[in-house]
Every structure is written in structure tokens, then in C-alpha cells.
């Protein structure tokens, strides 16, 4: 992809930053955020990325160019767990403002989550047509704010005739930002704290490295349609949280313990058939991607492999 004018929100975070950096090599890339960490704004600017301050919490887009060809909306307010109105309103209104401002674009990509699905058996592989409505014990405001933002994307895609893809992301991990859930769980291990797991069965996931995320963003733009196209966006391999973090323990020597609990991270396994048909396979196996990711976030850890 080259010579396009691209707008990305959330590029100061974990998921979208690599995509912004890769795309900036051959395109004009603008990143919108509050830039709560000014160091990241400087790093993005040094990588030939234009930065523009925008707060989804009522911030205006006045003064921002409106001739973007491609938009990736990855910024999210996950909520405080209790104020549903705030989470729903902020994410939906910000999404509608962004789509309206960029209605001339060729394609709009909304980064959603597998947490929108209503919970089925823990090893169920969710498909795009599965029922929605997760009750997420550890962060109840998150799924509903993503479902309502998805509905906003559907409505504005149709109303504005703006081709859109809603990509429901699985567990993303990589060198930037917070590193993703595997890094968060690894930090628990380093602190000597147990990882919560279900009383029965396992939490499964399809981890996807941000290298694959970055490579697949242009393909997801190509797959956009009116009305908006939904697609699961996870890695090719399904793994349980126990197996992944046991592997992390084996390669680093950091002990892991698991605590059966009623409240866990509630990750999901995906049926990736549609994603594979639309944009092909992933390139990074979680066993290859995890060691350098852990090393990037915790450089002092020993033996984290290739
Ligand atoms: P991060 O928490 O790492 O980053 C959040 C981003 O959103 C930052 O760039 C932040 O920028 C921006 N943001 C937050 N609040 C506002 C606001 N009020 N106004 C403007 N920008 C704001 O998120 P991730 O990278 O982990 O997630 C990106 C997307 O992917 C989200 O939509 C999330 O729902 C989705 N997702 C992520 C998964 C993962 O594994 N990480 C899994 C499934 C879905 P700043 O603070 O500078 O404003």
C-alpha cells in the first residue's frame, strides 16, 4: 500500500502502533490521540507520522483535514466498570464523529473485540454470526461499549455509503504499549501472584502478534463493504491461557501458579474461517512471537529465547 492518506486512532497504544509505523514508510499517516505520554508523540513524529490531538470525550475534529483515504479506528475507552452510559456514549459518539468527518474515505476499519460474543462453552470457537452480549465480570462496561460502537459503525457505514470492516480482535500481543494480555499475566508471575483460571475447563484464545496485525490492516481495508463487514481477527493457533503461560514460565524460569476463580480474563477461541478466506493466514506463531515480546517488555528476564 502506498501514496494513501491514512488516519489512525489509538496508535499510541499496543495494537495500532506497529501498523502506523509500517504504513508511514510509503503513505502519509496521521495519528489522533490525547498523547497522554508525550514521549510516544515525539517517537511517532520522528517516524514521519503526523500527530493531531483529539479527545474522544467530546473533542472536536474541526481543523483536521477530511481527505483521508483510509481510517483505522483503534482508540477505545474501556470504561471504569460501573458507568455504562459514559462508556457507551463516548465510544459511539466518537466513532460517529470520525466516520462523518472522513465520509469521503475509501475504507474504514473499526477494531472491535471477541468480548462482544455472549459466553458459550469455554472451548467454543466463536463465529461471526454467534449471539452477542458478554457479561464480563472483570470489566462489565467494555463489551457493551464495543457492541454499541459496532452498531454505530454499521449505521454510519450504510448512511454515509462508507465501506467498513469491523474486525473483532482476539488477544493481541507485541513490543509496544502494555504488550497485551500475555505480558500482563507475565507481570503477575514476576510479582509472585497467581493467574486466575476457570474452575472447570480453560480460557482459550487465538493470540495474534502485532506484526500480523500491521500486515493485515491494508487487507482488512480491502475487504471493507457496505453494509459493514464483520470478521473475527485472531491468530491461526488456539491455545489455553494455562499452556501459554506455562510455556512463558519454561522459557524464562519465572514460576507460574494458577488459581481457580469465578472471575477470569474470559478470553475466546475463534473460528477463523472467514478471516482466512478474506485475507489469508497469519505469519507469526505464538511460540515464536512470545519470547521476544516478553524480552521487549522485561529486558532483565533471563532465557526468553529467540
Ligand atoms: P491501549 O490501551 O494500548 O491504547 C488505547 C488507545 O486509545 C491509546 O492510543 C489511547 O491514546 C487511545 N485513547 C484512549 N482514550 C482516548 C480518548 N479519550 N481520546 C482519544 N484517544 C484515546 O489499547 P490497545 O492497543 O490494547 O487496543 C486497541 C484497540 O483494540 C481497542 O479498540 C481495543 O478495544 C481493541 N482490542 C485490543 C485487544 C488487545 O489484546 N490489546 C484485544 C481485543 C480488542 P491516548 O491515551 O494517547 O489518548
Amino acid at each position: 500500500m502506498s501514496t494513501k492518506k491514512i488516519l489512525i486512532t489509538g496508535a499510541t497504544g499496543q495494537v495500532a502502533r506497529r501498523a502506523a509505523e509500517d504504513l508511514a514508510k510509503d503513505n502519509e499517516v496521521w495519528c489522533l490521540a490525547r498523547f497522554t505520554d508525550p514521549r510516544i508523540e515525539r517517537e511517532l513524529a520522528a517516524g514521519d507520522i503526523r500527530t493531531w490531538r483529539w479527545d474522544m470525550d467530546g473533542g472536536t475534529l474541526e481543523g483536521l483535514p477530511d481527505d483521508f483515504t483510509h481510517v483505522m479506528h483503534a482508540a477505545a475507552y474501556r470504561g471504569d466498570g460501573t458507568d455504562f452510559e459514559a462508556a457507551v456514549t463516548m465510544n459511539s459518539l466518537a466513532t460517529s464523529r470520525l466516520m462523518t468527518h472522513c465520509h469521503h474515505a475509501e475504507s474504514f476499519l473499526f477494531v472491535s473485540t471477541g468480548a462482544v460474543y455472549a459466553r458459550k462453552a469455554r472451548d467454543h470457537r466463536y463465529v461471526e454470526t454467534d449471539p452477542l452480549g458478554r457479561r464480563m465480570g472483570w470489566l462489565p462496561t467494555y463489551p457493551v461499549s464495543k457492541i454499541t460502537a459496532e452498531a454505530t459503525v454499521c449505521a454510519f457505514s450504510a448512511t454515509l455509503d462508507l465501506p467498513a470492516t469491523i474486525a473483532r480482535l482476539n488477544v493481541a500481543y507485541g513490543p509496544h504499549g502494555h504488550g497485551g494480555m500475555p505480558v500482563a499475566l507475565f507481570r503477575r508471575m514476576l510479582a509472585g501472584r497467581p493467574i486466575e483460571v476457570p474452575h472447570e475447563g480453560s480460557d482459550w484464545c487465538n493470540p495474534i502478534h502485532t506484526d500480523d496485525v500491521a500486515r493485515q490492516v491494508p487487507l482488512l481495508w480491502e475487504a471493507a463493504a457496505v453494509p459493514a463487514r464483520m470478521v473475527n481477527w485472531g491468530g491461526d493457533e488456539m491455545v489455553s491461557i494455562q499452556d501459554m503461560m506455562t510455556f512463558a514460565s519454561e522459557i524464562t524460569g519465572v514460576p507460574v501458579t494458577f488459581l481457580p476463580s469465578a472471575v477470569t480474563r474470559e478470553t475466546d477461541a475463534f473460528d477463523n474461517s472467514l478471516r482466512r478466506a478474506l485475507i489469508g493466514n497469519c505469519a507469526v506463531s505464538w511460540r515464536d512471537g512470545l519470547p521476544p515480546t516478553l524480552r521487549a517488555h522485561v529486558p532483565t528476564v533471563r532465557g526468553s529465547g529467540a
Side-chain angles (χ1 to χ4, degrees):
M1 185 173 200
S2 62
T3 67
K4 301 295 184 186
K5 186 164 178 174
I6 296 169
L7 185 160
I8 300 182
T9 71
T12 56
Q14 186 238 329
V15 167
R17 181 160 172 187
R18 171 60 57 82
E21 289 173 344
D22 283 3
L23 288 162
K25 291 171 190 159
D26 297 308
N27 302 275
E28 179 179 327
V29 175
W30 291 58
C31 288
L32 271 58
R34 295 164 303 174
F35 301 101
T36 41
D37 182 347
R39 178 183 50 88
I40 299 179
E41 182 172 21
R42 287 195 296 274
E43 289 172 2
L44 291 173
D48 215 14
I49 292 172
R50 295 168 200 227
T51 60
W52 204 86
R53 281 173 194 274
W54 182 51
D55 189 341
M56 291 198 302
D57 191 7
T60 176
L61 294 167
E62 209 177 309
L64 178 72
D66 62 0
D67 57 347
F68 294 99
T69 59
H70 294 77
V71 181
M72 176 185 189
H73 182 28
Y77 171 59
R78 291 178 169 87
D80 63 2
T82 59
D83 191 340
F84 290 82
E85 189 179 346
V88 164
T89 305
M90 192 191 305
N91 287 295
S92 298
L93 275 181
T95 302
S96 66
R97 288 190 183 111
L98 197 60
M99 293 184 80
T100 305
H101 189 88
C102 300
H103 68 278
H104 296 303
E106 294 168 26
S107 185
F108 186 96
L109 170 61
F110 177 67
V111 183
S112 189
T113 171
V116 295
Y117 292 117
R119 172 57 74 197
K120 292 199 169 196
R122 296 215 179 246
D123 60 352
H124 175 73
R125 288 173 174 254
Y126 290 88
V127 292
E128 289 79 0
T129 48
D130 271 334
L132 303 181
R134 174 74 48 90
R135 290 177 173 220
M136 183 181 266
W138 68 277
L139 193 56
T141 45
Y142 181 49
V144 69
S145 71
K146 295 303 271 194
I147 290 171
T148 48
E150 283 193 0
T152 305
V153 174
C154 288
F156 278 75
S157 168
T159 306
L160 300 168
D161 199 26
L162 171 53
T165 301
I166 295 172
R168 293 177 176 154
L169 193 61
N170 206 286
V171 168
Y173 69 98
H176 291 307
H178 53 74
M181 200 193 58
V183 174
L185 296 181
F186 187 64
R187 291 193 191 283
R188 289 183 74 94
M189 291 163 53
L190 285 168
R193 296 168 63 199
I195 294 172
E196 286 96 357
V197 292
H199 285 287
E200 285 181 22
S202 298
D203 280 335
W204 295 87
C205 63
N206 288 75
I208 181 166
H209 193 277
T210 47
D211 283 0
D212 276 322
V213 167
R215 191 175 55 78
Q216 292 178 345
V217 164
L219 303 174
L220 289 169
W221 275 323
E222 275 176 34
V226 178
R229 188 193 295 280
M230 316 271 181
V231 60
N232 284 344
W233 196 14
D236 292 347
E237 302 158 301
M238 173 175 161
V239 61
S240 73
I241 297 298
Q242 284 100 320
D243 284 351
M244 186 165 57
M245 300 321 292
T246 299
F247 173 75
S249 174
E250 286 167 1
I251 60 172
T252 61
V254 177
V256 63
T257 54
F258 298 104
L259 177 68
S261 169
V263 177
T264 70
R265 297 303 288 252
E266 296 187 38
T267 52
D268 310 289
F270 277 176
D271 180 327
N272 282 312
S273 305
L274 180 59
R275 190 261 297 156
R276 284 178 195 263
L278 286 174
I279 64 171
N281 292 343
C282 292
V284 184
S285 162
W286 67 268
R287 286 179 179 274
D288 296 332
L290 193 57
T293 297
L294 297 179
R295 197 168 53 235
H297 290 278
V298 190
T300 52
V301 79
R302 70 173 170 82
S304 50

